[in-house]
Amino acid sequence: MKNRIKILIAFFLTLFLNTNICSAQSQIKIISEKEIIQKDETVEIKIEINDIPIAAFTLEIYWDNSKLEYMQGPENSNYSNNRILYTWVNNNGRNMQTVDVGTFVFKGIEDGTANITVTGEFYNENGEEIEIESSSLEI
């Protein structure tokens, strides 16, 4: 009986640990043209979503507004209260494996380290929500 309990515990621990490892990998890529910027210098941040079938999403982008100022982004992005909302729907309603979200431009306004975090809600062509881990970039 003790061996069965040990086997069950080992099984569930293995399943739990493997699930956490898989879900920790984000499919959101935040790519910066520079890792270090100076005050009043701009940096372009490109966002891509890879290796997941999605047909629509709404992204939220957050950053340290004491270090970076938002300058501009793609046409369908909206800036409000230190966050950018970006909405995308595939024109044909079908899943895509890779989506190039676009480029967002920030300007350095103070010395220090700033984090840019991207999170959101993602949906497949059947309208089912897809869980994707948020992603961060440090500049």
Side-chain angles (χ1 to χ4, degrees):
M1 182 69 169
K2 287 183 181 181
N3 285 340
R4 285 186 184 172
I5 292 173
K6 288 179 185 177
I7 291 172
L8 283 173
I9 291 172
F11 172 76
F12 286 114
L13 281 175
T14 303
L15 182 65
F16 176 75
L17 290 173
N18 285 338
T19 301
N20 283 343
I21 290 168
C22 292
S23 66
Q25 297 175 349
S26 179
Q27 290 88 7
I28 301 173
K29 288 175 95 176
I30 308 172
I31 304 160
S32 174
E33 64 176 351
K34 306 172 193 171
E35 291 182 24
I36 299 173
I37 63 169
Q38 304 296 319
K39 186 175 178 180
D40 295 326
E41 188 178 14
T42 61
V43 62
E44 292 185 357
I45 306 296
K46 184 176 177 182
I47 300 174
E48 298 175 350
I49 301 172
N50 297 309
D51 302 324
I52 189 142
I54 56 174
F57 61 81
T58 298
L59 287 183
E60 293 182 65
I61 304 169
Y62 298 94
W63 66 94
D64 182 354
N65 66 347
S66 69
K67 307 283 190 273
L68 294 174
E69 177 183 359
Y70 175 64
M71 302 303 291
Q72 69 183 38
E75 183 177 311
N76 49 337
S77 60
N78 294 300
Y79 170 71
S80 177
N81 296 326
N82 191 42
R83 78 175 176 164
I84 300 168
L85 289 176
Y86 178 90
T87 302
W88 174 84
V89 176
N90 191 354
N91 290 336
N92 65 18
R94 296 286 187 207
N95 288 337
M96 291 183 64
Q97 286 294 119
T98 300
V99 178
D100 179 7
V101 175
T103 301
F104 298 83
V105 180
F106 294 88
K107 180 173 86 172
I109 57 175
E110 191 67 42
D111 289 339
T113 302
N115 286 316
I116 298 173
T117 302
V118 179
T119 188
E121 294 179 4
F122 306 87
Y123 299 91
N124 65 19
E125 63 190 29
N126 298 322
E128 301 163 331
E129 188 168 1
I130 301 166
E131 292 295 322
I132 298 178
E133 294 286 325
S134 62
S135 186
S136 293
L137 174 71
E138 186 176 278
I139 295 180

PDB file of all heavy atoms in Angstrom, residues 41-76:
ATOM      1  N   GLU A  41      17.167  59.403 -25.982  1.00  0.00           N
ATOM      2  CA  GLU A  41      17.364  58.500 -27.115  1.00  0.00           C
ATOM      3  C   GLU A  41      16.122  57.616 -27.244  1.00  0.00           C
ATOM      4  O   GLU A  41      15.494  57.254 -26.261  1.00  0.00           O
ATOM      5  CB  GLU A  41      18.609  57.648 -26.865  1.00  0.00           C
ATOM      6  CG  GLU A  41      19.033  56.819 -28.036  1.00  0.00           C
ATOM      7  CD  GLU A  41      20.311  56.036 -27.747  1.00  0.00           C
ATOM      8  OE1 GLU A  41      20.721  55.924 -26.582  1.00  0.00           O
ATOM      9  OE2 GLU A  41      20.887  55.533 -28.711  1.00  0.00           O
ATOM     10  N   THR A  42      15.778  57.244 -28.486  1.00  0.00           N
ATOM     11  CA  THR A  42      14.621  56.378 -28.700  1.00  0.00           C
ATOM     12  C   THR A  42      15.064  54.940 -28.923  1.00  0.00           C
ATOM     13  O   THR A  42      16.189  54.671 -29.326  1.00  0.00           O
ATOM     14  CB  THR A  42      13.783  56.838 -29.908  1.00  0.00           C
ATOM     15  OG1 THR A  42      14.583  56.796 -31.078  1.00  0.00           O
ATOM     16  CG2 THR A  42      13.208  58.227 -29.692  1.00  0.00           C
ATOM     17  N   VAL A  43      14.139  54.031 -28.645  1.00  0.00           N
ATOM     18  CA  VAL A  43      14.371  52.613 -28.862  1.00  0.00           C
ATOM     19  C   VAL A  43      13.097  52.021 -29.464  1.00  0.00           C
ATOM     20  O   VAL A  43      11.988  52.367 -29.055  1.00  0.00           O
ATOM     21  CB  VAL A  43      14.772  51.884 -27.554  1.00  0.00           C
ATOM     22  CG1 VAL A  43      13.673  51.967 -26.509  1.00  0.00           C
ATOM     23  CG2 VAL A  43      15.131  50.431 -27.829  1.00  0.00           C
ATOM     24  N   GLU A  44      13.272  51.165 -30.479  1.00  0.00           N
ATOM     25  CA  GLU A  44      12.149  50.476 -31.099  1.00  0.00           C
ATOM     26  C   GLU A  44      12.022  49.087 -30.500  1.00  0.00           C
ATOM     27  O   GLU A  44      12.998  48.333 -30.438  1.00  0.00           O
ATOM     28  CB  GLU A  44      12.343  50.379 -32.607  1.00  0.00           C
ATOM     29  CG  GLU A  44      12.269  51.712 -33.302  1.00  0.00           C
ATOM     30  CD  GLU A  44      12.342  51.603 -34.810  1.00  0.00           C
ATOM     31  OE1 GLU A  44      12.510  50.485 -35.343  1.00  0.00           O
ATOM     32  OE2 GLU A  44      12.235  52.655 -35.463  1.00  0.00           O
ATOM     33  N   ILE A  45      10.815  48.762 -30.068  1.00  0.00           N
ATOM     34  CA  ILE A  45      10.502  47.464 -29.485  1.00  0.00           C
ATOM     35  C   ILE A  45       9.543  46.756 -30.437  1.00  0.00           C
ATOM     36  O   ILE A  45       8.457  47.261 -30.718  1.00  0.00           O
ATOM     37  CB  ILE A  45       9.823  47.613 -28.101  1.00  0.00           C
ATOM     38  CG1 ILE A  45      10.661  48.467 -27.165  1.00  0.00           C
ATOM     39  CG2 ILE A  45       9.491  46.253 -27.518  1.00  0.00           C
ATOM     40  CD1 ILE A  45      11.993  47.896 -26.803  1.00  0.00           C
ATOM     41  N   LYS A  46       9.970  45.607 -30.944  1.00  0.00           N
ATOM     42  CA  LYS A  46       9.134  44.822 -31.854  1.00  0.00           C
ATOM     43  C   LYS A  46       8.523  43.659 -31.067  1.00  0.00           C
ATOM     44  O   LYS A  46       9.212  43.015 -30.275  1.00  0.00           O
ATOM     45  CB  LYS A  46       9.979  44.283 -33.007  1.00  0.00           C
ATOM     46  CG  LYS A  46       9.186  43.547 -34.047  1.00  0.00           C
ATOM     47  CD  LYS A  46      10.065  43.122 -35.200  1.00  0.00           C
ATOM     48  CE  LYS A  46       9.228  42.330 -36.181  1.00  0.00           C
ATOM     49  NZ  LYS A  46      10.007  41.849 -37.302  1.00  0.00           N
ATOM     50  N   ILE A  47       7.250  43.406 -31.293  1.00  0.00           N
ATOM     51  CA  ILE A  47       6.555  42.322 -30.595  1.00  0.00           C
ATOM     52  C   ILE A  47       6.050  41.316 -31.624  1.00  0.00           C
ATOM     53  O   ILE A  47       5.427  41.688 -32.617  1.00  0.00           O
ATOM     54  CB  ILE A  47       5.398  42.856 -29.745  1.00  0.00           C
ATOM     55  CG1 ILE A  47       5.950  43.827 -28.695  1.00  0.00           C
ATOM     56  CG2 ILE A  47       4.627  41.713 -29.086  1.00  0.00           C
ATOM     57  CD1 ILE A  47       4.902  44.521 -27.886  1.00  0.00           C
ATOM     58  N   GLU A  48       6.343  40.040 -31.357  1.00  0.00           N
ATOM     59  CA  GLU A  48       5.894  38.936 -32.206  1.00  0.00           C
ATOM     60  C   GLU A  48       5.246  37.871 -31.337  1.00  0.00           C
ATOM     61  O   GLU A  48       5.619  37.696 -30.184  1.00  0.00           O
ATOM     62  CB  GLU A  48       7.073  38.292 -32.932  1.00  0.00           C
ATOM     63  CG  GLU A  48       7.819  39.181 -33.871  1.00  0.00           C
ATOM     64  CD  GLU A  48       9.049  38.506 -34.461  1.00  0.00           C
ATOM     65  OE1 GLU A  48       9.436  37.406 -33.992  1.00  0.00           O
ATOM     66  OE2 GLU A  48       9.624  39.079 -35.387  1.00  0.00           O
ATOM     67  N   ILE A  49       4.305  37.153 -31.916  1.00  0.00           N
ATOM     68  CA  ILE A  49       3.709  35.992 -31.254  1.00  0.00           C
ATOM     69  C   ILE A  49       3.990  34.799 -32.157  1.00  0.00           C
ATOM     70  O   ILE A  49       3.648  34.824 -33.345  1.00  0.00           O
ATOM     71  CB  ILE A  49       2.204  36.190 -31.025  1.00  0.00           C
ATOM     72  CG1 ILE A  49       1.982  37.434 -30.164  1.00  0.00           C
ATOM     73  CG2 ILE A  49       1.600  34.950 -30.372  1.00  0.00           C
ATOM     74  CD1 ILE A  49       0.549  37.841 -30.014  1.00  0.00           C
ATOM     75  N   ASN A  50       4.628  33.770 -31.596  1.00  0.00           N
ATOM     76  CA  ASN A  50       5.103  32.639 -32.395  1.00  0.00           C
ATOM     77  C   ASN A  50       4.597  31.304 -31.870  1.00  0.00           C
ATOM     78  O   ASN A  50       4.382  31.131 -30.675  1.00  0.00           O
ATOM     79  CB  ASN A  50       6.638  32.600 -32.390  1.00  0.00           C
ATOM     80  CG  ASN A  50       7.231  33.818 -33.034  1.00  0.00           C
ATOM     81  OD1 ASN A  50       6.868  34.190 -34.132  1.00  0.00           O
ATOM     82  ND2 ASN A  50       8.138  34.462 -32.323  1.00  0.00           N
ATOM     83  N   ASP A  51       4.454  30.366 -32.792  1.00  0.00           N
ATOM     84  CA  ASP A  51       4.206  28.953 -32.484  1.00  0.00           C
ATOM     85  C   ASP A  51       2.932  28.698 -31.705  1.00  0.00           C
ATOM     86  O   ASP A  51       2.885  27.803 -30.868  1.00  0.00           O
ATOM     87  CB  ASP A  51       5.406  28.353 -31.738  1.00  0.00           C
ATOM     88  CG  ASP A  51       6.690  28.478 -32.525  1.00  0.00           C
ATOM     89  OD1 ASP A  51       6.628  28.360 -33.766  1.00  0.00           O
ATOM     90  OD2 ASP A  51       7.745  28.717 -31.921  1.00  0.00           O
ATOM     91  N   ILE A  52       1.891  29.460 -31.985  1.00  0.00           N
ATOM     92  CA  ILE A  52       0.604  29.194 -31.362  1.00  0.00           C
ATOM     93  C   ILE A  52      -0.501  29.622 -32.325  1.00  0.00           C
ATOM     94  O   ILE A  52      -0.416  30.695 -32.912  1.00  0.00           O
ATOM     95  CB  ILE A  52       0.478  29.887 -29.997  1.00  0.00           C
ATOM     96  CG1 ILE A  52      -0.763  29.424 -29.280  1.00  0.00           C
ATOM     97  CG2 ILE A  52       0.473  31.372 -30.112  1.00  0.00           C
ATOM     98  CD1 ILE A  52      -0.565  29.274 -27.817  1.00  0.00           C
ATOM     99  N   PRO A  53      -1.500  28.777 -32.539  1.00  0.00           N
ATOM    100  CA  PRO A  53      -2.558  29.133 -33.484  1.00  0.00           C
ATOM    101  C   PRO A  53      -3.547  30.130 -32.876  1.00  0.00           C
ATOM    102  O   PRO A  53      -4.326  29.790 -31.997  1.00  0.00           O
ATOM    103  CB  PRO A  53      -3.236  27.791 -33.777  1.00  0.00           C
ATOM    104  CG  PRO A  53      -2.951  26.950 -32.576  1.00  0.00           C
ATOM    105  CD  PRO A  53      -1.646  27.429 -32.016  1.00  0.00           C
ATOM    106  N   ILE A  54      -3.483  31.390 -33.343  1.00  0.00           N
ATOM    107  CA  ILE A  54      -4.394  32.410 -32.838  1.00  0.00           C
ATOM    108  C   ILE A  54      -5.081  33.109 -33.998  1.00  0.00           C
ATOM    109  O   ILE A  54      -4.536  33.240 -35.087  1.00  0.00           O
ATOM    110  CB  ILE A  54      -3.675  33.444 -31.946  1.00  0.00           C
ATOM    111  CG1 ILE A  54      -2.515  34.089 -32.677  1.00  0.00           C
ATOM    112  CG2 ILE A  54      -3.247  32.843 -30.642  1.00  0.00           C
ATOM    113  CD1 ILE A  54      -1.872  35.209 -31.905  1.00  0.00           C
ATOM    114  N   ALA A  55      -6.313  33.572 -33.741  1.00  0.00           N
ATOM    115  CA  ALA A  55      -7.086  34.291 -34.748  1.00  0.00           C
ATOM    116  C   ALA A  55      -7.417  35.707 -34.296  1.00  0.00           C
ATOM    117  O   ALA A  55      -7.789  36.544 -35.118  1.00  0.00           O
ATOM    118  CB  ALA A  55      -8.375  33.536 -35.060  1.00  0.00           C
ATOM    119  N   ALA A  56      -7.283  35.986 -32.986  1.00  0.00           N
ATOM    120  CA  ALA A  56      -7.573  37.326 -32.468  1.00  0.00           C
ATOM    121  C   ALA A  56      -6.921  37.482 -31.101  1.00  0.00           C
ATOM    122  O   ALA A  56      -6.718  36.496 -30.387  1.00  0.00           O
ATOM    123  CB  ALA A  56      -9.081  37.531 -32.352  1.00  0.00           C
ATOM    124  N   PHE A  57      -6.595  38.727 -30.766  1.00  0.00           N
ATOM    125  CA  PHE A  57      -6.059  38.994 -29.428  1.00  0.00           C
ATOM    126  C   PHE A  57      -6.155  40.468 -29.085  1.00  0.00           C
ATOM    127  O   PHE A  57      -6.305  41.324 -29.970  1.00  0.00           O
ATOM    128  CB  PHE A  57      -4.611  38.529 -29.280  1.00  0.00           C
ATOM    129  CG  PHE A  57      -3.634  39.186 -30.210  1.00  0.00           C
ATOM    130  CD1 PHE A  57      -3.113  40.450 -29.943  1.00  0.00           C
ATOM    131  CD2 PHE A  57      -3.220  38.537 -31.353  1.00  0.00           C
ATOM    132  CE1 PHE A  57      -2.208  41.033 -30.801  1.00  0.00           C
ATOM    133  CE2 PHE A  57      -2.316  39.118 -32.217  1.00  0.00           C
ATOM    134  CZ  PHE A  57      -1.805  40.380 -31.937  1.00  0.00           C
ATOM    135  N   THR A  58      -6.071  40.744 -27.804  1.00  0.00           N
ATOM    136  CA  THR A  58      -5.906  42.090 -27.278  1.00  0.00           C
ATOM    137  C   THR A  58      -4.691  42.058 -26.382  1.00  0.00           C
ATOM    138  O   THR A  58      -4.637  41.278 -25.429  1.00  0.00           O
ATOM    139  CB  THR A  58      -7.142  42.547 -26.478  1.00  0.00           C
ATOM    140  OG1 THR A  58      -8.259  42.582 -27.352  1.00  0.00           O
ATOM    141  CG2 THR A  58      -6.921  43.924 -25.877  1.00  0.00           C
ATOM    142  N   LEU A  59      -3.692  42.870 -26.709  1.00  0.00           N
ATOM    143  CA  LEU A  59      -2.469  42.958 -25.908  1.00  0.00           C
ATOM    144  C   LEU A  59      -2.545  44.154 -24.985  1.00  0.00           C
ATOM    145  O   LEU A  59      -3.131  45.176 -25.324  1.00  0.00           O
ATOM    146  CB  LEU A  59      -1.241  43.151 -26.799  1.00  0.00           C
ATOM    147  CG  LEU A  59      -0.725  42.001 -27.615  1.00  0.00           C
ATOM    148  CD1 LEU A  59       0.538  42.427 -28.356  1.00  0.00           C
ATOM    149  CD2 LEU A  59      -0.421  40.808 -26.755  1.00  0.00           C
ATOM    150  N   GLU A  60      -1.906  44.003 -23.829  1.00  0.00           N
ATOM    151  CA  GLU A  60      -1.685  45.119 -22.918  1.00  0.00           C
ATOM    152  C   GLU A  60      -0.183  45.210 -22.711  1.00  0.00           C
ATOM    153  O   GLU A  60       0.468  44.219 -22.394  1.00  0.00           O
ATOM    154  CB  GLU A  60      -2.392  44.894 -21.598  1.00  0.00           C
ATOM    155  CG  GLU A  60      -3.897  44.908 -21.725  1.00  0.00           C
ATOM    156  CD  GLU A  60      -4.581  44.724 -20.389  1.00  0.00           C
ATOM    157  OE1 GLU A  60      -4.435  45.611 -19.525  1.00  0.00           O
ATOM    158  OE2 GLU A  60      -5.222  43.685 -20.221  1.00  0.00           O
ATOM    159  N   ILE A  61       0.361  46.399 -22.912  1.00  0.00           N
ATOM    160  CA  ILE A  61       1.791  46.631 -22.757  1.00  0.00           C
ATOM    161  C   ILE A  61       1.982  47.641 -21.631  1.00  0.00           C
ATOM    162  O   ILE A  61       1.408  48.730 -21.666  1.00  0.00           O
ATOM    163  CB  ILE A  61       2.407  47.157 -24.068  1.00  0.00           C
ATOM    164  CG1 ILE A  61       2.099  46.185 -25.210  1.00  0.00           C
ATOM    165  CG2 ILE A  61       3.903  47.385 -23.906  1.00  0.00           C
ATOM    166  CD1 ILE A  61       2.421  46.725 -26.588  1.00  0.00           C
ATOM    167  N   TYR A  62       2.776  47.251 -20.639  1.00  0.00           N
ATOM    168  CA  TYR A  62       3.063  48.099 -19.483  1.00  0.00           C
ATOM    169  C   TYR A  62       4.563  48.369 -19.426  1.00  0.00           C
ATOM    170  O   TYR A  62       5.358  47.532 -19.845  1.00  0.00           O
ATOM    171  CB  TYR A  62       2.653  47.394 -18.183  1.00  0.00           C
ATOM    172  CG  TYR A  62       1.185  47.082 -18.091  1.00  0.00           C
ATOM    173  CD1 TYR A  62       0.695  45.850 -18.485  1.00  0.00           C
ATOM    174  CD2 TYR A  62       0.298  48.019 -17.595  1.00  0.00           C
ATOM    175  CE1 TYR A  62      -0.655  45.550 -18.399  1.00  0.00           C
ATOM    176  CE2 TYR A  62      -1.058  47.739 -17.506  1.00  0.00           C
ATOM    177  CZ  TYR A  62      -1.519  46.501 -17.908  1.00  0.00           C
ATOM    178  OH  TYR A  62      -2.860  46.213 -17.831  1.00  0.00           O
ATOM    179  N   TRP A  63       4.955  49.500 -18.849  1.00  0.00           N
ATOM    180  CA  TRP A  63       6.372  49.840 -18.690  1.00  0.00           C
ATOM    181  C   TRP A  63       6.514  50.844 -17.558  1.00  0.00           C
ATOM    182  O   TRP A  63       5.523  51.404 -17.068  1.00  0.00           O
ATOM    183  CB  TRP A  63       6.937  50.408 -19.988  1.00  0.00           C
ATOM    184  CG  TRP A  63       6.340  51.729 -20.372  1.00  0.00           C
ATOM    185  CD1 TRP A  63       6.817  52.972 -20.083  1.00  0.00           C
ATOM    186  CD2 TRP A  63       5.105  51.936 -21.060  1.00  0.00           C
ATOM    187  NE1 TRP A  63       5.977  53.938 -20.561  1.00  0.00           N
ATOM    188  CE2 TRP A  63       4.911  53.318 -21.166  1.00  0.00           C
ATOM    189  CE3 TRP A  63       4.152  51.082 -21.593  1.00  0.00           C
ATOM    190  CZ2 TRP A  63       3.792  53.876 -21.788  1.00  0.00           C
ATOM    191  CZ3 TRP A  63       3.048  51.641 -22.204  1.00  0.00           C
ATOM    192  CH2 TRP A  63       2.880  53.013 -22.300  1.00  0.00           C
ATOM    193  N   ASP A  64       7.743  51.065 -17.149  1.00  0.00           N
ATOM    194  CA  ASP A  64       8.057  52.028 -16.101  1.00  0.00           C
ATOM    195  C   ASP A  64       8.074  53.423 -16.730  1.00  0.00           C
ATOM    196  O   ASP A  64       9.039  53.803 -17.376  1.00  0.00           O
ATOM    197  CB  ASP A  64       9.415  51.684 -15.478  1.00  0.00           C
ATOM    198  CG  ASP A  64       9.789  52.620 -14.353  1.00  0.00           C
ATOM    199  OD1 ASP A  64       9.068  53.613 -14.115  1.00  0.00           O
ATOM    200  OD2 ASP A  64      10.814  52.367 -13.710  1.00  0.00           O
ATOM    201  N   ASN A  65       6.996  54.186 -16.522  1.00  0.00           N
ATOM    202  CA  ASN A  65       6.896  55.491 -17.179  1.00  0.00           C
ATOM    203  C   ASN A  65       7.763  56.562 -16.520  1.00  0.00           C
ATOM    204  O   ASN A  65       7.825  57.685 -17.002  1.00  0.00           O
ATOM    205  CB  ASN A  65       5.446  55.951 -17.293  1.00  0.00           C
ATOM    206  CG  ASN A  65       4.816  56.232 -15.948  1.00  0.00           C
ATOM    207  OD1 ASN A  65       5.348  55.875 -14.905  1.00  0.00           O
ATOM    208  ND2 ASN A  65       3.663  56.867 -15.974  1.00  0.00           N
ATOM    209  N   SER A  66       8.462  56.221 -15.454  1.00  0.00           N
ATOM    210  CA  SER A  66       9.428  57.172 -14.900  1.00  0.00           C
ATOM    211  C   SER A  66      10.765  57.065 -15.644  1.00  0.00           C
ATOM    212  O   SER A  66      11.609  57.945 -15.527  1.00  0.00           O
ATOM    213  CB  SER A  66       9.634  56.932 -13.403  1.00  0.00           C
ATOM    214  OG  SER A  66      10.303  55.708 -13.177  1.00  0.00           O
ATOM    215  N   LYS A  67      10.948  55.996 -16.411  1.00  0.00           N
ATOM    216  CA  LYS A  67      12.193  55.777 -17.162  1.00  0.00           C
ATOM    217  C   LYS A  67      12.002  55.884 -18.675  1.00  0.00           C
ATOM    218  O   LYS A  67      12.899  56.280 -19.394  1.00  0.00           O
ATOM    219  CB  LYS A  67      12.767  54.390 -16.854  1.00  0.00           C
ATOM    220  CG  LYS A  67      12.955  54.091 -15.390  1.00  0.00           C
ATOM    221  CD  LYS A  67      14.175  54.778 -14.842  1.00  0.00           C
ATOM    222  CE  LYS A  67      14.524  54.314 -13.460  1.00  0.00           C
ATOM    223  NZ  LYS A  67      13.877  54.988 -12.383  1.00  0.00           N
ATOM    224  N   LEU A  68      10.822  55.498 -19.159  1.00  0.00           N
ATOM    225  CA  LEU A  68      10.542  55.498 -20.598  1.00  0.00           C
ATOM    226  C   LEU A  68       9.257  56.250 -20.892  1.00  0.00           C
ATOM    227  O   LEU A  68       8.289  56.171 -20.132  1.00  0.00           O
ATOM    228  CB  LEU A  68      10.388  54.064 -21.119  1.00  0.00           C
ATOM    229  CG  LEU A  68      11.598  53.151 -21.090  1.00  0.00           C
ATOM    230  CD1 LEU A  68      11.198  51.745 -21.497  1.00  0.00           C
ATOM    231  CD2 LEU A  68      12.691  53.676 -22.006  1.00  0.00           C
ATOM    232  N   GLU A  69       9.270  56.952 -22.015  1.00  0.00           N
ATOM    233  CA  GLU A  69       8.080  57.646 -22.500  1.00  0.00           C
ATOM    234  C   GLU A  69       7.641  56.983 -23.798  1.00  0.00           C
ATOM    235  O   GLU A  69       8.461  56.747 -24.694  1.00  0.00           O
ATOM    236  CB  GLU A  69       8.400  59.116 -22.757  1.00  0.00           C
ATOM    237  CG  GLU A  69       7.256  59.909 -23.320  1.00  0.00           C
ATOM    238  CD  GLU A  69       7.637  61.355 -23.627  1.00  0.00           C
ATOM    239  OE1 GLU A  69       8.787  61.754 -23.391  1.00  0.00           O
ATOM    240  OE2 GLU A  69       6.757  62.084 -24.116  1.00  0.00           O
ATOM    241  N   TYR A  70       6.357  56.696 -23.910  1.00  0.00           N
ATOM    242  CA  TYR A  70       5.814  56.102 -25.137  1.00  0.00           C
ATOM    243  C   TYR A  70       5.713  57.181 -26.210  1.00  0.00           C
ATOM    244  O   TYR A  70       5.175  58.257 -25.978  1.00  0.00           O
ATOM    245  CB  TYR A  70       4.440  55.498 -24.855  1.00  0.00           C
ATOM    246  CG  TYR A  70       3.743  54.967 -26.083  1.00  0.00           C
ATOM    247  CD1 TYR A  70       4.267  53.912 -26.806  1.00  0.00           C
ATOM    248  CD2 TYR A  70       2.548  55.530 -26.519  1.00  0.00           C
ATOM    249  CE1 TYR A  70       3.631  53.419 -27.931  1.00  0.00           C
ATOM    250  CE2 TYR A  70       1.892  55.038 -27.637  1.00  0.00           C
ATOM    251  CZ  TYR A  70       2.444  53.982 -28.340  1.00  0.00           C
ATOM    252  OH  TYR A  70       1.800  53.496 -29.444  1.00  0.00           O
ATOM    253  N   MET A  71       6.242  56.881 -27.401  1.00  0.00           N
ATOM    254  CA  MET A  71       6.238  57.848 -28.496  1.00  0.00           C
ATOM    255  C   MET A  71       5.215  57.495 -29.579  1.00  0.00           C
ATOM    256  O   MET A  71       4.430  58.334 -29.975  1.00  0.00           O
ATOM    257  CB  MET A  71       7.636  57.940 -29.124  1.00  0.00           C
ATOM    258  CG  MET A  71       8.732  58.323 -28.147  1.00  0.00           C
ATOM    259  SD  MET A  71       8.439  59.898 -27.308  1.00  0.00           S
ATOM    260  CE  MET A  71       8.646  61.035 -28.651  1.00  0.00           C
ATOM    261  N   GLN A  72       5.253  56.241 -30.063  1.00  0.00           N
ATOM    262  CA  GLN A  72       4.320  55.846 -31.126  1.00  0.00           C
ATOM    263  C   GLN A  72       4.272  54.336 -31.257  1.00  0.00           C
ATOM    264  O   GLN A  72       5.149  53.628 -30.781  1.00  0.00           O
ATOM    265  CB  GLN A  72       4.701  56.463 -32.460  1.00  0.00           C
ATOM    266  CG  GLN A  72       5.989  55.917 -33.050  1.00  0.00           C
ATOM    267  CD  GLN A  72       6.365  56.620 -34.334  1.00  0.00           C
ATOM    268  OE1 GLN A  72       6.177  57.825 -34.468  1.00  0.00           O
ATOM    269  NE2 GLN A  72       6.897  55.869 -35.269  1.00  0.00           N
ATOM    270  N   GLY A  73       3.223  53.876 -31.940  1.00  0.00           N
ATOM    271  CA  GLY A  73       3.053  52.450 -32.183  1.00  0.00           C
ATOM    272  C   GLY A  73       2.206  52.222 -33.418  1.00  0.00           C
ATOM    273  O   GLY A  73       1.873  53.168 -34.138  1.00  0.00           O
ATOM    274  N   PRO A  74       1.840  50.975 -33.655  1.00  0.00           N
ATOM    275  CA  PRO A  74       1.016  50.651 -34.819  1.00  0.00           C
ATOM    276  C   PRO A  74      -0.333  51.380 -34.780  1.00  0.00           C
ATOM    277  O   PRO A  74      -0.788  51.830 -33.722  1.00  0.00           O
ATOM    278  CB  PRO A  74       0.811  49.141 -34.723  1.00  0.00           C
ATOM    279  CG  PRO A  74       1.926  48.667 -33.863  1.00  0.00           C
ATOM    280  CD  PRO A  74       2.216  49.784 -32.906  1.00  0.00           C
ATOM    281  N   GLU A  75      -0.952  51.445 -35.930  1.00  0.00           N
ATOM    282  CA  GLU A  75      -2.206  52.178 -36.115  1.00  0.00           C
ATOM    283  C   GLU A  75      -3.314  51.783 -35.133  1.00  0.00           C
ATOM    284  O   GLU A  75      -4.024  52.634 -34.622  1.00  0.00           O
ATOM    285  CB  GLU A  75      -2.672  51.936 -37.552  1.00  0.00           C
ATOM    286  CG  GLU A  75      -3.904  52.663 -37.953  1.00  0.00           C
ATOM    287  CD  GLU A  75      -4.220  52.417 -39.409  1.00  0.00           C
ATOM    288  OE1 GLU A  75      -3.315  52.553 -40.253  1.00  0.00           O
ATOM    289  OE2 GLU A  75      -5.370  52.060 -39.700  1.00  0.00           O
ATOM    290  N   ASN A  76      -3.475  50.508 -34.869  1.00  0.00           N
ATOM    291  CA  ASN A  76      -4.574  50.067 -34.001  1.00  0.00           C
ATOM    292  C   ASN A  76      -4.136  49.866 -32.556  1.00  0.00           C
ATOM    293  O   ASN A  76      -4.630  48.987 -31.860  1.00  0.00           O
ATOM    294  CB  ASN A  76      -5.260  48.813 -34.552  1.00  0.00           C
ATOM    295  CG  ASN A  76      -4.288  47.728 -34.937  1.00  0.00           C
ATOM    296  OD1 ASN A  76      -3.133  47.987 -35.205  1.00  0.00           O
ATOM    297  ND2 ASN A  76      -4.760  46.504 -34.981  1.00  0.00           N
TER     298      ASN A  76
END
